[in-house]
């Protein structure tokens, strides 16, 4: 069935708000992407990944592609976290096979002092137009997720200049230890930019927002709180909470942040995203039912045989339950991968995963 012809399904929003659901909702990080041949086709037509992001009609088209194939419970805006530093003037480009890069990485003190937060409705107008277009095209079938990178993760790219070869974060960490004042300034301006950006997405139609702190896990225990968590707390406090009379839940995902989930749950977000290294049940015991949890199937598990993928999906679902008889219809769990889907994933395996999550959580609920 075409995604937009489906009846209204808000299980995703209800799960995030820990309200009763029909089954455990599922979506996948990077669900629109290179593992889908139709994505590669649209990207070819657009000319490049960035041109695809900057064309609202095409961004809308690729956002909907995975929903036509699979019974996913949410759509996520097709864009990238690096559009924000691009709008700050750093000059984003994608070198073929090398990932994102900036023409003007932030290194000099004068450039850092000159940094200002862009007006999202001007400099990121194409993102807002894409959000509005996608929201219209969805016809209320499933909720639309907006997103941003965390200030720390954006700063990693801005200072390092991209995701190039030295992946030890030497430049940005040298700044962290040597000139924390400069790094704090970058994080401060970026935090303002992210708040404005996410609120503009909400005003344009995003119904939930996710903060990707992809590189929070590379920080020391003390530095995580000072350079990442504090700024995410400011963002969550600055977000629009209600739009069109509906709560707009927020999800915070620190990759590699399993040891800090109690602190993450305390910043006021509605849900915490987990990678596959943390057990969902343990996480729940540690933070109680204060927030919902999202995750956490290992993306590399998608390369196993179909029956192994299905069994692993059931294991992940069962790991969330406090006891075997617990009804999945209580809400509080959004099934996802623990990180983005690999471009080499067979699309048929995605269908098995999504269908298994639905059937197993429905069955477990019926028994519970
Ligand atoms: O989830 C979705 O379907 C929405 C789209 C989305 C993309 N990037 C599309 C994309 C989202 C939510 C992101 C977030 C993003 N971008 C993150 C945070 C999540 C994470 O993975 O930790 C980060 C760190 C980035 C930066 C980025 N963008 C990198 C490192 C790369 C290259 C890596 C790669 O997979 O090649 C990108 C490019 C990118 N962003 C692609 C897509 C579909 C592939 C580009 C292509 O089509 O050539």
């Amino acid at each position: 069935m075409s995604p937009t012809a489906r009846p209204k399904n808000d299980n995703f929003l209800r799960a995030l708000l820990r309200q009763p659901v029909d089954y455990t909702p599922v979506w996948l990080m990077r669900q629109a992407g290179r593992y889908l041949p139709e994505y590669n086709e649209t990207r070819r037509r657009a000319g490049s990944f960035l041109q695809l992001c900057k064309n609202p009609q095409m961004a809308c088209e690729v956002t909907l592609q995975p929903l036509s194939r699979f019974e996913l419970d949410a759509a996520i805006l097709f864009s990238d976290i690096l559009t924000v530093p691009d709008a700050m003037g750093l000059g984003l480009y994608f070198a073929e096979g090398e990932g994102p890069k900036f023409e003007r990485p932030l290194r000099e003190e004068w450039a850092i002092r000159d940094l200002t937060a862009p007006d999202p409705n001007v400099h990121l107008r194409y993102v807002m137009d894409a959000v509005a277009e996608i929201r219209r095209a969805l016809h209320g079938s499933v909720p639309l997720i907006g997103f941003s990178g965390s200030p720390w993760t954006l700063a990693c790219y801005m200072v390092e200049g991209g995701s190039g070869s030295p992946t030890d974060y030497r430049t940005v960490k040298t700044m962290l230890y040597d000139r924390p004042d400069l790094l704090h300034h970058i994080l401060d301006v970026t935090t303002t930019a992210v708040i404005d950006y996410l609120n503009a997405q909400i005003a344009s139609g995003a119904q939930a927002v996710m903060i990707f702190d992809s590189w929070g896990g590379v920080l020391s225990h003390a530095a995580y709180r000072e350079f990442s968590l504090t700024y995410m707390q400011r963002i969550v406090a600055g977000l629009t909470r209600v739009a069109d009379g509906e709560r707009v839940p927020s999800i915070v995902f620190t990759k590699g942040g399993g040891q800090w989930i109690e602190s993450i749950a305390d910043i006021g977000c509605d849900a915490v995203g987990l990678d596959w290294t943390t057990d969902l049940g343990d996480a729940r015991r540690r933070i109680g039912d204060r927030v919902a949890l999202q995750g956490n199937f290992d993306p590399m598990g998608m390369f196993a045989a179909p029956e192994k993928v299905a069994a692993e999906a059931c294991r992940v679902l069962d790991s969330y339950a406090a006891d075997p008889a617990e009804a999945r219809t209580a809400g509080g769990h959004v099934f996802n991968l623990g990180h983005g889907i690999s471009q080499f994933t067979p699309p048929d395996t995605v269908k098995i995963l999504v269908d298994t999550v639905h059937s197993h959580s429905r069955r477990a609920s019926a028994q519970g």
Side-chain angles (χ1 to χ4, degrees), residues 56 60 77 119-122 124-139 143-147 195-209 240 242-244 248:
C60 175
L77 160 72
D119 179 342
N121 289 311
V122 176
L124 292 155
R125 183 77 250 160
Y126 63 91
V127 176
M128 305 314 145
D129 291 344
V131 170
E133 176 106 10
I134 299 162
R135 185 66 197 279
R136 260 196 311 273
L138 285 168
H139 288 300
L144 174 60
I145 307 166
F147 70 88
I195 294 171
D196 294 348
Y197 182 55
L198 288 176
N199 283 340
Q201 290 183 37
I202 294 168
S204 302
Q207 293 155 283
V209 291
T240 305
V242 177
D244 289 336
V248 182

Side-chain angles (χ1 to χ4, degrees), residues 27-34 39 43 49 76-82 94 99-100 147 153 157 163 212 214-215 339:
W27 70 278
L28 307 176
M29 289 188 258
R30 296 265 179 104
Q31 64 191 24
R34 286 165 298 184
Y39 168 84
R43 180 174 174 272
F49 169 68
I76 179 160
L77 160 72
F78 186 83
S79 191
D80 199 81
I81 62 167
L82 300 177
F94 283 79
F147 70 88
T153 294
Y157 284 99
S163 61
F212 287 93
S214 305
W215 303 123
H339 200 204

Side-chain angles (χ1 to χ4, degrees), residues 24 276 278-281 294-298 309-321 328 333-338 353 357 360:
T24 303
W276 58 91
T278 301
D279 180 73
L280 283 171
Q294 177 174 278
N296 66 346
F297 189 105
D298 180 352
V309 171
E312 178 63 7
C314 296
R315 188 198 64 75
V316 170
L317 281 167
D318 293 344
S319 72
Y320 178 80
R328 289 295 148 51
H333 181 209
V334 171
F335 193 101
N336 205 315
L337 302 180
L353 181 78
V357 171
H360 185 73

Side-chain angles (χ1 to χ4, degrees), residues 10-11 13-15 17-23 328-332:
D10 63 356
N11 283 292
L13 293 175
R14 284 188 270 134
L17 297 171
R18 284 163 297 122
Q19 294 167 358
V21 289
D22 306 327
Y23 53 77
R328 289 295 148 51
T329 46

Side-chain angles (χ1 to χ4, degrees), residues 90-103:
L90 274 70
L92 176 64
Y93 68 100
F94 283 79
E96 201 53 51
E98 281 181 63
K101 286 206 173 349
F102 287 112
E103 283 161 22

